Amino acid sequence: MNALSANTPPRNIVVLAGGVGGAKYLLGVREYAREHGAEVTAIVNTGDDATMHGLRICPDLDSIMYTLGGGHDQERGWGQVGETWTVGEELKEYGAGPTWFSLGDKDIATHLVRTQMLDAGYRLTEVTEALCARWQPNVRLLPMSDDRVETHVVCTLPDAEQPSAIHFQEWWVRYRTKVPTTGFVQVGAEQAAPSAEVLAALKEADLILLAPSNPVVSIGPILGVPGMREALRDAAAPVIGTAGLINGAPLRGMADVCLQVIGVEQTALAVADYLGARSADGVLDGWLVAPGDGGTLDAISVAEAPLLMSDAGATAQMVTAAVELAGQVR
Amino acid sequence: MNALSANTPPRNIVVLAGGVGGAKYLLGVREYAREHGAEVTAIVNTGDDATMHGLRICPDLDSIMYTLGGGHDQERGWGQVGETWTVGEELKEYGAGPTWFSLGDKDIATHLVRTQMLDAGYRLTEVTEALCARWQPNVRLLPMSDDRVETHVVCTLPDAEQPSAIHFQEWWVRYRTKVPTTGFVQVGAEQAAPSAEVLAALKEADLILLAPSNPVVSIGPILGVPGMREALRDAAAPVIGTAGLINGAPLRGMADVCLQVIGVEQTALAVADYLGARSADGVLDGWLVAPGDGGTLDAISVAEAPLLMSDAGATAQMVTAAVELAGQVR
């Protein structure tokens, strides 16, 4: 039983989130929190993280940090506004790969600070906090783990006869998922654990939300950190997810492609079924879907609400709907 | 005895050189070599090298590489033409020091490639060769050592009561030498050695030149690598130095300040005396000075020649004068 309602809104909201979509969703959660005096903590996917040119790159953490800090490029949809590309052009002149990944100059400064701090022995959680001291996202950003867990994709590259596992970034950015793909693996997961900060946040939360991020390669890697599912199941707070598919199509990104790879039907309800009911072996108490996408699921409460994140206000309405749903579950 | 003359010019010229002045001199040596079918190897000071923001920076190697590769900013006198400064501005936004050192974006690409290669286990000699594959300086650039040797300066900082040792870059760039200074130390020198490539180049040379670089903090650190003086003394080739002081004043840089610190008179002849005769305990066979700066030195042949490096042609004339002097020594 939990007591959440429009009259007793949550005080501590924890959001599991991926990159660009997660950032957009968090703008709404922050808006909701501002109206209701709540604190927001985001547990962010680091499965996309990579080391390029010796720099440690955390695309999802950075997308969220820049977006919440007001520094993101709204038009391009990723990276920073006013970005320049001198370093990357020069790296190409040196023939230094990978050439399929564009690193902006502003972005490189972030990676330099991060890499130097990591090399000095700070945990990614601490590094993220230090970077956020500049950006002031007003949401506490926590990497899903301080350990290195990287999503790799099993696929057959052009002209290759055998499948190989390539880094998620290469599959996503270089091949744009257009190679025969059979699965995803989380390299390093067996040695990884959620940080103490993540475990404490989940324990202290009175509402846990899953952003409408890609369920396979954004939410999936977070849930894949050993101990994370158990922490979610042990949490006192209800767990409410929001579908990233509307009428079977992703709002942005390639969730449909990823679902196809793992053999899950590309519908909002099938995704909830895949994530599972918390009372069984899964993580969800409630599932918010777009109008018309609803239905009945075993042990997961389903509600319909408009899910277009057109602005922070509209997205905050999605959070209100999630809070209402949370008040009804269990 | 050696057979160098206008009729039998050198085939293998080795130049000991510092940064910006050394680069200018090497433009002339390269011009001379082109006219006479010679090969040029530069043994470059790495005492200025530093690690900033986790990047390994080799100011002298880079100044020479950019200059010989045609990419240097002639107007500013250092760094690359068309340089931008986005990364540095962003690092300042993060409060990441040092803020007194300007790192250009193009330059950062060089440092990223270098740092990554060094981290992967390549020697600085190999890294320099790889970077030069792009710049095609037409002079073989060899760091004076693959070992880390950094020039530190013993000085009393503003508001400090006791002297301390700071990195040469900080003394040069941040304090512009305007702090009470008592000496220079080469941190790491006791564990350093010239690379096999440096030793082989000195052995195979038929002419060894000292660029008119700062004798204390450019030529000095090269000579300070244990084994370097011995290698110069054992070389078959004559060693001809060129004064960087004209009528007691440095053409550029702060050689006068550095000489004052170590108690050497700020004249061309005093510098030669400080470097010493190869037949005694020093490194010089001959010493080229500006018209009017000549005189007699014990066991070092002195000749006068115009020493203004106004362009590569004029500088090549200085090399011709050095070759002539080399034909007269011993």
Side-chain angles (χ1 to χ4, degrees):
Chain A
M1 242 357 203
N2 73 79
L4 293 182
S5 72
N7 294 326
T8 53
R11 296 278 142 200
N12 286 304
I13 307 175
V14 171
V15 185
L16 275 57
V20 177
K24 222 165 176 181
Y25 184 67
L26 282 164
L27 284 173
V29 181
R30 185 177 66 179
E31 180 67 20
Y32 175 91
R34 194 154 23 208
E35 285 165 13
H36 296 86
E39 302 288 328
V40 184
T41 299
I43 298 173
V44 180
N45 171 41
T46 56
D48 296 12
D49 293 9
T51 300
M52 296 186 192
H53 308 288
L55 299 171
R56 191 67 186 156
I57 299 169
C58 302
D60 284 6
L61 280 167
D62 288 349
S63 286
I64 291 172
M65 181 174 75
Y66 298 151
T67 301
L68 295 178
H72 64 303
D73 189 311
Q74 284 185 309
E75 210 153 308
R76 193 173 51 237
W78 57 274
Q80 290 189 55
V81 71
E83 187 59 286
T84 60
W85 308 90
T86 306
V87 178
E89 292 301 320
E90 284 291 298
L91 288 171
K92 276 181 197 148
E93 291 290 330
Y94 279 115
T99 50
W100 47 265
F101 196 85
S102 295
L103 273 180
D105 297 330
K106 290 188 171 191
D107 214 24
I108 283 174
T110 304
H111 307 326
L112 279 170
V113 175
R114 175 188 294 123
T115 304
Q116 205 180 357
M117 286 190 72
L118 289 171
D119 285 350
Y122 290 97
R123 296 181 299 127
L124 184 58
T125 299
E126 297 165 312
V127 173
T128 304
E129 188 182 354
L131 293 171
C132 285
R134 170 188 171 192
W135 289 100
Q136 296 289 324
N138 283 320
V139 166
R140 187 174 181 217
L141 301 190
L142 297 177
M144 66 190 197
S145 174
D146 286 321
D147 303 311
R148 205 155 150 170
V149 182
E150 290 178 10
T151 303
H152 279 60
V153 185
V154 182
C155 56
T156 305
L157 298 179
D159 302 322
E161 286 179 16
Q162 298 290 325
S164 55
I166 60 173
H167 193 286
F168 171 77
Q169 291 291 352
E170 190 168 6
W171 182 72
W172 192 259
V173 177
R174 181 177 191 181
Y175 295 108
R176 308 205 173 269
T177 78
K178 306 292 184 209
V179 283
T181 303
T182 55
F184 303 92
V185 283
Q186 280 183 271
V187 176
E190 55 283 0
Q191 282 95 35
S195 67
E197 288 86 346
V198 161
L199 294 176
L202 289 172
K203 201 170 175 186
E204 290 155 20
D206 50 16
L207 176 63
I208 299 172
L209 300 172
L210 270 58
S213 301
N214 190 314
V216 184
V217 295
S218 293
I219 301 297
I222 302 176
L223 299 177
V225 177
M228 191 71 80
R229 284 174 173 273
E230 292 74 5
L232 278 167
R233 273 201 291 275
D234 292 348
V239 181
I240 308 294
T242 298
L245 294 174
I246 294 182
N247 193 21
L251 272 177
R252 57 160 288 127
M254 297 178 267
D256 47 346
V257 176
C258 297
L259 288 166
Q260 209 162 11
V261 168
I262 62 166
V264 172
E265 209 191 333
Q266 295 117 67
T267 68
L269 287 185
V271 170
D273 196 49
Y274 164 68
L275 292 170
R278 197 152 76 119
S279 58
D281 211 29
V283 298
L284 291 177
D285 294 312
W287 186 240
L288 211 58
V289 299
D293 282 349
T296 310
L297 286 167
D298 200 24
I300 301 173
S301 303
V302 178
E304 295 187 357
L307 296 188
L308 285 174
M309 301 189 285
S310 43
D311 57 42
T315 310
Q317 287 299 315
M318 289 163 58
V319 179
T320 302
V323 171
E324 278 167 17
L325 179 56
Q328 295 159 25
V329 300
R330 286 197 290 179
Chain B
M1 237 6 196
N2 72 79
L4 292 183
S5 74
N7 294 327
T8 53
R11 296 278 144 200
N12 285 304
I13 307 175
V14 170
V15 185
L16 275 57
V20 177
K24 224 166 175 179
Y25 184 66
L26 281 164
L27 283 173
V29 180
R30 185 177 65 179
E31 180 68 19
Y32 174 91
R34 193 153 26 204
E35 285 165 13
H36 295 86
E39 301 288 329
V40 184
T41 300
I43 298 173
V44 181
N45 172 40
T46 55
D48 297 12
D49 293 9
T51 300
M52 296 185 192
H53 307 290
L55 299 171
R56 191 65 185 159
I57 299 169
C58 301
D60 284 6
L61 279 168
D62 288 349
S63 286
I64 292 173
M65 181 174 74
Y66 298 152
T67 301
L68 295 178
H72 64 302
D73 190 309
Q74 284 185 309
E75 210 153 308
R76 192 173 51 235
W78 57 273
Q80 291 188 56
V81 71
E83 187 59 286
T84 60
W85 309 90
T86 306
V87 178
E89 292 301 319
E90 283 292 298
L91 288 170
K92 275 180 199 149
E93 291 290 331
Y94 278 115
T99 51
W100 47 265
F101 195 85
S102 295
L103 272 180
D105 297 330
K106 288 187 171 191
D107 214 24
I108 283 174
T110 304
H111 307 325
L112 279 171
V113 175
R114 176 187 294 122
T115 304
Q116 206 181 358
M117 285 190 72
L118 289 172
D119 285 349
Y122 290 96
R123 296 181 299 127
L124 184 59
T125 300
E126 297 166 311
V127 174
T128 304
E129 189 183 354
L131 293 171
C132 285
R134 169 187 171 193
W135 289 100
Q136 297 288 325
N138 282 319
V139 166
R140 186 175 181 216
L141 302 190
L142 297 177
M144 66 191 197
S145 174
D146 287 320
D147 302 313
R148 206 154 149 168
V149 182
E150 289 178 10
T151 303
H152 279 61
V153 186
V154 183
C155 56
T156 305
L157 297 179
D159 303 324
E161 286 180 16
Q162 299 291 324
S164 53
I166 60 173
H167 192 285
F168 171 77
Q169 292 290 353
E170 189 168 5
W171 183 71
W172 191 261
V173 177
R174 182 178 190 179
Y175 294 109
R176 307 203 175 273
T177 79
K178 306 290 184 211
V179 284
T181 303
T182 55
F184 303 93
V185 282
Q186 279 184 270
V187 176
E190 54 284 359
Q191 282 95 34
S195 67
E197 288 85 347
V198 161
L199 294 176
L202 289 172
K203 202 171 176 186
E204 289 155 21
D206 51 15
L207 176 63
I208 299 172
L209 299 172
L210 269 58
S213 300
N214 190 313
V216 184
V217 296
S218 293
I219 302 297
I222 302 176
L223 299 177
V225 178
M228 191 70 80
R229 285 173 173 273
E230 292 73 6
L232 279 166
R233 274 201 291 275
D234 292 346
V239 180
I240 309 295
T242 298
L245 294 174
I246 294 181
N247 194 21
L251 272 176
R252 56 160 289 127
M254 297 178 265
D256 48 346
V257 176
C258 297
L259 288 166
Q260 210 162 11
V261 168
I262 62 165
V264 172
E265 208 191 330
Q266 295 116 68
T267 69
L269 288 184
V271 170
D273 196 49
Y274 164 68
L275 292 170
R278 198 152 76 118
S279 57
D281 212 29
V283 298
L284 292 177
D285 294 311
W287 186 241
L288 211 58
V289 299
D293 282 351
T296 310
L297 286 167
D298 201 22
I300 301 174
S301 303
V302 178
E304 294 186 358
L307 296 189
L308 286 173
M309 302 189 283
S310 42
D311 57 41
T315 310
Q317 288 297 317
M318 290 164 57
V319 180
T320 302
V323 171
E324 279 167 17
L325 180 56
Q328 294 160 24
V329 300
R330 285 198 287 176

